[in-house]
Amino acid sequence: MSTRSREKLTQWAVVAIVIATGLGMLAWQMGGSMSETTGEENMSGNGVSQEGAREAIFAGGCFWCIEAAFELIPGVVEAISGYTGGTVENPTYDQVSAGRTGHFEAVLVRFDPEQVTYQELLEQFWRSINPTDSGGQFYDRGSQYNTAIFYLNDEQRDLAEASKRALEESGVFDEPIVTQILPAQTFYPAEGYHQNYYEKYLAQYKAYSTASGREAYFVETWEGHDDVSLLPPADRPWEDFVKPSVEELRETLTPLQYSVTQENGTERAFQNEYWDNHEAGIYVDVVSGEPLFSSLDKFDSGTGWPSFTRPIEPDSVVTKRDTSLFMVRVEVRSRYADSHLGHLFDDGPPPTGQRYCINSAALRFVPKDRLEAEGYGEYLEWFE
């Protein structure tokens, strides 16, 4: 987990817990009168976008509590209380709270992935619930208050399952983790008077933070576990790459890979691994694993070497003046491993007019369906 991410979550975790702890009591104390309220805005139920690039759905007991836990996190645009996972269209609070529809009380979180990641939302979720309770959450009992993560695509499913395994292996809980990971269904926003409830009844939820035992539960459960992270150990591990010794490189690389990357060699045209590869995915440095080029920018140059119009990110590669072989050319090298990759020419197609002519021996190809598993999940959305 990055320092920025850890500081950000730590900053808001205490606030979110304090807010969240007061809301279940409100449901218990005021549920009857609220269920009889009429004339409030009733937000219509709309199907959630299955792309899921900027949306996430969590069920963690009383939706007021989970809404509060997420909405104060920097990068979260909004958190909407609602219902999902049931069999009745457009359910009402009366129906759901009575346990007659099969729905969970849940929250739809819309977030800016440039400021907060889905993995960070998962970590906040696990720290805002009791994942070992199969009968509800704190004062709120019944299946409608059970915990679940509703994934909107395969990437979210994989990340949710990975975070659950990390939680199980963390040693924080002695009892089994019973939170379900389920495919997303239609999300129905709850009635208007349920939205932003934690902002409307400040005194009540502060009182409940002590009376319910919810706050004490979180403090006691996570005490001594400040160093536990459910995120991958590093977002971009290649940025910390330390180049191995010559002996180690000779052991791990093939003779051709060593010749190209370490001795500025050139492989044969039309007799290399990727010149005719048309599969979707990214190309990474064979030494460091740093991302270099995308199949989306690859084109057939007719030269017999893999050719790209641009690197995967503007600063992914380094260019240098090359005067070898009695020519003046622009050499291309990787930023972190300093591997020789190939050369850059100004005879490429639009939109850049450039041709990065790269040796296959300097690359390793990661297909689209392996991006998440191999730590390149941030690029997966490019291919959707």
Side-chain angles (χ1 to χ4, degrees), residues 284-300:
V284 305
D285 186 284
V286 72
V287 177
S288 65
E290 59 194 276
L292 299 172
F293 300 96
S294 167
S295 63
L296 298 173
D297 302 310
K298 191 172 185 289
F299 69 99
D300 183 2

Side-chain angles (χ1 to χ4, degrees), residues 59-202:
C62 172
F63 46 30
W64 302 335
C65 306
I66 299 303
E67 178 185 335
F70 284 112
E71 198 159 63
L72 295 180
I73 297 176
V76 170
V77 178
E78 62 177 342
I80 303 170
S81 292
Y83 318 111
T84 194
T87 58
V88 175
E89 293 185 6
N90 298 306
T92 65
Y93 178 72
D94 280 345
Q95 292 173 313
V96 175
S97 62
R100 298 197 300 264
T101 68
H103 286 88
F104 293 71
E105 286 200 7
V107 170
L108 171 66
V109 179
R110 292 198 172 100
F111 63 98
D112 178 358
E114 296 297 323
Q115 299 184 58
V116 61
T117 66
Y118 183 70
Q119 295 98 312
E120 290 170 329
L121 296 181
L122 285 168
E123 178 142 348
Q124 178 71 353
F125 172 72
W126 291 119
R127 291 174 180 266
S128 303
I129 64 170
N130 176 359
T132 68
D133 190 343
S134 61
Q137 290 287 284
F138 304 97
Y139 275 146
D140 301 304
R141 311 313 300 167
S143 61
Q144 65 272 32
Y145 298 112
N146 283 345
T147 58
I149 300 168
F150 291 90
Y151 59 86
L152 284 85
N153 53 40
D154 290 344
E155 180 185 8
Q156 287 192 357
R157 178 197 61 202
D158 293 345
L159 292 172
E161 290 175 348
S163 70
K164 183 176 179 178
R165 288 193 298 271
L167 185 65
E168 291 170 335
E169 296 168 1
S170 67
V172 176
F173 297 96
D174 295 328
E175 300 177 16
I177 305 301
V178 298
T179 299
Q180 299 180 78
I181 298 175
L182 303 170
Q185 298 183 39
T186 302
F187 180 90
Y188 298 97
E191 294 82 352
Y193 58 83
H194 287 295
Q195 308 304 327
N196 300 316
Y197 218 91
Y198 69 96
E199 293 181 328
K200 301 173 182 176
Y201 293 92
L202 180 63

